[in-house]
Amino acid sequence: INSLGKYVLSFYKEKTGNDVPDDLSQLDFHLKLDSGKHKEVLSHYKQVRLPDSKRVALDYISEAHSSEHLKAFLLNGAPTHCQVFVFGLRASIIGGKRPSIEMYVGGLQQALRHVSKEVVMGYWMHSRDSLQKLIKASAKAERVIIRNSILDPEGDLDFSGPDYTTSYLSLQCCGDDAQNDWSGHPERLDRLLKAVSECSLRDS
């Protein structure tokens, strides 16, 4: 890590109060984007990449949407490898409208490719295109969890292509507990199950 990278990590520690371990491979980089100080940290990662880390967690993202700083972080600042990547775990307005994940898909495809253990994405609206791209991008993660989101695939889904190492695929609270849920659209679940059965995800 270069001197600029060390400065930005020091700035992160000062603004958030979070620990920065000597062994950066154990770094738990956690930003709550309902905080002005945490958003300020994010803005520094336009041209500085995080070192390989244990976990990257970006929380309360709906409060920062739509964020060019967040988009730039995914493209230019996310580590080339981490064990766990969280893109939205909590939201201040439970049951509120989910924002579209579309503007972040390109950056997420890049960030998720080298996640080895777990990908978590929560409080988003996914189209057919975004769902296909992000499931495929997460192929090297052992666990993929999409939670509290609206899945609105129009047309058949295709998850084929990658050689998945994913052994656990979970859709938490994306059905009856989500606004505009699947109870009135059973064909959405049919499309999802068909796509999973037609690729190596069927073993998850």
Side-chain angles (χ1 to χ4, degrees), residues 124-137:
W124 294 105
M125 176 175 284
H126 290 267
S127 67
R128 172 180 176 271
D129 185 61
S130 67
L131 192 60
Q132 289 180 157
K133 288 179 177 178
L134 296 179
I135 291 290
K136 290 179 181 181

Side-chain angles (χ1 to χ4, degrees), residues 179-195:
Q179 186 178 7
N180 296 327
D181 60 56
W182 292 349
S183 60
H185 302 276
E187 73 281 359
R188 294 178 184 173
L189 183 58
D190 290 342
R191 291 169 187 155
L192 181 66
L193 293 175
K194 182 174 182 288

Side-chain angles (χ1 to χ4, degrees), residues 39-112:
K39 289 179 186 176
E40 193 176 348
V41 172
L42 193 67
S43 69
H44 281 65
Y45 278 95
K46 288 189 254 184
Q47 296 179 326
V48 179
R49 189 169 295 281
L50 273 173
D52 290 353
S53 306
K54 182 177 182 180
R55 186 179 80 138
V56 174
L58 303 170
D59 213 351
Y60 294 104
I61 297 176
S62 58
E63 281 74 1
H65 182 73
S66 56
S67 170
E68 290 297 329
H69 288 316
L70 179 55
K71 184 178 178 180
F73 170 81
L74 294 170
L75 289 168
N76 306 311
T80 54
H81 178 268
C82 68
Q83 296 179 36
V84 178
F85 197 99
V86 180
F87 195 68
L89 185 61
R90 293 169 292 185
S92 295
I93 304 173
I94 304 300
K97 184 178 180 182
R98 275 48 166 185
S100 170
I101 203 169
E102 296 294 336
M103 74 173 289
Y104 306 115
V105 168
L108 281 168
Q109 283 182 284
Q110 186 168 300
L112 299 180

